[in-house]
Structure formats: structure tokens, C-alpha cells
């Protein structure tokens, strides 16, 4: 097992900081949606979750192009989420080539 979720640790964290997390709830949505390059869809929670997961994974990888910044990555992924959401499917991502990914 490479990754394991410790549910007891998560529950303890939430219980001890519930008030703090609750106070941020509205702010996080506002902070996320104020940037045009972020994808959001309140009617479909699955696709935004996939978007964030892919964005975070790629954001913490090396940056192959000079001048290529977070907003370029986020905006490119948003365009794919809007136009071709099926490409965020795990089976599709498993087979994607570096060349195709660089076009996003």
C-alpha cells in the first residue's frame, strides 16, 4: 500500500478544528471562483474534484516550459474539463501521452 487514509486522524483533526474549518467554508469557494482559470460546476461535484486532483498532481511536477505558470496549467485543464470532460476519466489519463498532455 503506497497511500493509506487514516480515518481516525482525520476525524480527530476535524473535531479539534471544526470551528475554524466552518469559518473558512464560504471563503474558500469565493477564493476559488474569483480566478477565471479555475473550473467549478456546482451541479456536478465529480468533475471539479477530478480537475483539482489532476491540477494538484501536475502542479507539483516539474515545469518543462519557461514562462509556463500555474494559471496556464489551470486554464488549460479548465478548457479540457469544459470541452472534453471524458478526458478526465482515470482510464483515459492512464494512457495519455506527454505530447497530448502538453497541449492541455
Amino acid at each position: 500500500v503506497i497511500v493509506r487514509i487514516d480515518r481516525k486522524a482525520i476525524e480527530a483533526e476535524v473535531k479539534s478544528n471544526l470551528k475554524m474549518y466552518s469559518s473558512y467554508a464560504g471563503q474558500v469557494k469565493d477564493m476559488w471562483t474569483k480566478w477565471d482559470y479555475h473550473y467549478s460546476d456546482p451541479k456536478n461535484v465529480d468533475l471539479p474534484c477530478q480537475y483539482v486532483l489532476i491540477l494538484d498532481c501536475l502542479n507539483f511536477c516539474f515545469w518543462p516550459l519557461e514562462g509556463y505558470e500555474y494559471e496556464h496549467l489551470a486554464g488549460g485543464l479548465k478548457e479540457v474539463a469544459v470541452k472534453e470532460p471524458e478526458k478526465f476519466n482515470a482510464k483515459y489519463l492512464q494512457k495519455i501521452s506527454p505530447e497530448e498532455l502538453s497541449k492541455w
Side-chain angles (χ1 to χ4, degrees):
V1 174
I2 296 172
V3 176
R4 184 177 61 86
I5 296 174
D6 186 339
R7 294 195 186 278
K8 289 182 182 180
I10 292 171
E11 288 173 13
E13 172 65 22
V14 171
K15 283 180 184 177
S16 66
N17 293 299
L18 184 59
K19 193 173 195 175
M20 178 188 68
Y21 291 134
S22 296
S23 70
Y24 290 137
Q27 295 174 21
V28 170
K29 179 183 179 260
D30 293 340
M31 290 183 327
W32 181 260
T33 57
K34 79 176 185 177
W35 304 107
D36 288 338
Y37 47 75
H38 283 148
Y39 177 74
S40 180
D41 183 354
K43 295 177 185 173
N44 175 6
V45 296
D46 290 341
L47 191 56
C49 287
Q50 290 169 303
Y51 169 86
V52 169
L53 180 64
I54 295 165
L55 177 61
D56 281 353
C57 288
L58 294 175
N59 188 41
F60 290 104
C61 291
F62 68 94
W63 288 95
L65 305 171
E66 189 173 323
Y68 190 74
E69 300 295 336
Y70 174 85
E71 59 268 19
H72 303 118
L73 175 62
L77 290 175
K78 178 181 179 179
E79 188 173 327
V80 174
V82 169
K83 294 180 178 178
E84 302 175 279
E86 67 279 359
K87 289 190 173 183
F88 279 13
N89 177 291
K91 289 184 181 185
Y92 187 88
L93 291 170
Q94 193 175 26
K95 298 175 184 177
I96 194 168
S97 70
E99 293 78 24
E100 181 179 356
L101 186 59
S102 70
K103 294 176 185 174
W104 291 8

